[in-house]
Amino acid sequence: MARVTYVQPDGSEQTFTNYEGLAVMHLAVANLVDGIDALCGGMRQCATCHVYVDPDWAERVGPPGPEEAEMLDALTDAIDVRPTSRLSCQIPIIEDLDGLRVFIPADQPGI
Ligand code: FES
C-alpha cells in the first residue's frame, strides 16, 4: 500500500492509495486526476503524463531511464522540462514511495 499526492498548478491536492503496484500515471487515470491524460497508455510517446516529482522525493524515485530521458529531451522546446521531470507512466508505485508527491505542470500537453 502506498499513497501518492497529486498537486495541481493551482495548489489543490488529491491523495490516493495504490494497492496494486501500478504506476503513478495509472493511479491518476483511475481517479480522474486533471492533467494526466496518458494518451499513449504508458508507452512513453505522448508526455501527457508529465509530472514534476517533489524535490524531497526525487532521489528515492530516481532518474528517468534512457528512453524516458530521450523523450523528455525531445520535448524541451514544447514543455517546461525541469530537473525533477518524469513521465509518471514510468514511475512504479512501490511501498518505499508511500507519501510521494508529484506536481502537475501548468503547460501539460492536452490541457
Ligand atoms: S502515458 Fe504517454 S508518455 Fe506516459
Side-chain angles (χ1 to χ4, degrees):
M1 191 267 305
R3 290 159 296 171
V4 178
T5 296
Y6 300 84
V7 185
Q8 293 294 331
D10 67 3
S12 62
E13 299 185 5
Q14 294 173 289
T15 300
F16 300 104
T17 302
N18 181 54
Y19 296 98
E20 299 173 19
L22 299 176
V24 171
M25 173 277 276
H26 294 115
L27 185 62
V29 169
N31 289 285
L32 304 176
V33 173
D34 283 345
I36 303 289
D37 291 343
L39 297 178
C40 76
M43 303 300 291
R44 294 186 304 260
Q45 311 234 325
C46 70
T48 59
C49 67
H50 176 217
V51 296
Y52 304 121
V53 173
D54 186 315
D56 290 344
W57 286 88
E59 188 173 328
R60 208 177 304 183
V61 170
E67 292 178 5
E68 182 186 349
E70 196 172 298
M71 176 68 172
L72 289 167
D73 280 350
L75 289 167
T76 53
D77 288 339
I79 62 175
D80 183 13
V81 176
R82 300 177 186 173
T84 63
S85 285
R86 291 292 310 268
L87 298 177
S88 62
C89 64
Q90 303 301 305
I91 306 174
I93 306 172
I94 57 174
E95 298 240 350
D96 197 37
L97 294 183
D98 182 34
L100 173 65
R101 289 169 57 86
V102 297
F103 296 85
I104 313 293
D107 65 346
Q108 190 75 302
I111 289 182

